Amino acid sequence: MPIVKKSPEEIEKMAAAGEILARCLALLRDKTRPGITTAELDKLAERFIRRSGAEPAFKGYRGFPGSICASPNSMVVHGIPGDYRLERGDILSIDVGVVLDGWVADAAVTVPVGRVSPIAHRLLDTTRAALFAGIDLCVAGNRLGDVSHAIQQRVEQEGFSVVRSLVGHGIGRDMHEDPQIPNFGDPDTGPRLEEGMVLAIEPMVNVGAHPIRMGADNWSVFSQDGSLAAHFEHTVAITSEGPRILTPWHLEEARRAA
Ligand code: MG
């Protein structure tokens, strides 16, 4: 399938969905603490998204029951919210999708629950840094492999592994559009990036080896070796002025920290 490019007006609509999403993730980060369940976080997210006049993109997607994916510790992605009660020292990956006026935004963060181990801390810092290293190269004229390579390099220099069998994706009216965006690859390979492309960049990183296994619920995905895993994601538009992050949870975090 060809990569569907978006007009500046369409990118503004995606940014409006992304703004709601960024505030939702900031809210969830604030609420993520020992004792809360992932189902409670899911309820908070759904209420926030609907009160903002939008819809949760994940709810009902291929039958997914939640408005968020909530994936603790060695779970990489696609965790179904439920009665898991967070404990101090956990890490929790929270992935959210928002639809507004038919346009989708997708983003994720991994959040520490209270004080976490040094290795967990380094995993979060590295995965987040890898996301931004990839975003820096989301510039017209670059090739997709440049983005993939930058992510892989940032992760592997810390001795961690990028998950290989799950990828980022184009996004727009559909949550998953072409191209697929692996988090590993060679520079100067793959499709050339053009103004108007919108990409969900989402490194998924294991402390140990890269293989994953499916959980018994047929949704959740775990690191096969049981090592900790993290996931950070932004929806990014390629514009004449360079990469534009449409889901600015990092700015929302900074605002709340100030
Ligand atoms: Mg995604």
Side-chain angles (χ1 to χ4, degrees), residues 106 169 176 200 202 233:
D106 188 6
H169 48 94
H176 296 119
E202 50 176 326
E233 178 178 24

Side-chain angles (χ1 to χ4, degrees), residues 22-102:
R23 282 188 279 123
C24 182
L25 278 175
L27 166 75
L28 295 175
R29 169 182 284 274
D30 287 348
K31 300 292 183 185
T32 296
R33 58 176 68 124
I36 196 165
T37 68
T38 55
E40 288 166 340
L41 291 173
D42 183 64
K43 276 207 183 66
L44 287 166
E46 181 170 7
R47 195 178 315 143
F48 180 86
I49 292 167
R50 293 196 191 281
R51 274 209 307 241
S52 304
E55 279 168 48
F58 297 172
K59 191 141 195 166
Y61 183 82
R62 297 187 181 164
F64 190 78
S67 294
I68 67 172
C69 296
S71 310
N73 300 323
S74 68
M75 199 189 287
V76 186
V77 286
H78 301 167
I80 297 175
D83 54 13
Y84 182 75
R85 204 171 284 284
L86 295 175
E87 293 176 19
R88 183 166 290 106
D90 282 348
I91 58 173
L92 180 69
S93 297
I94 307 172
D95 194 349
V96 183
V98 167
V99 191
L100 184 68
D101 293 335

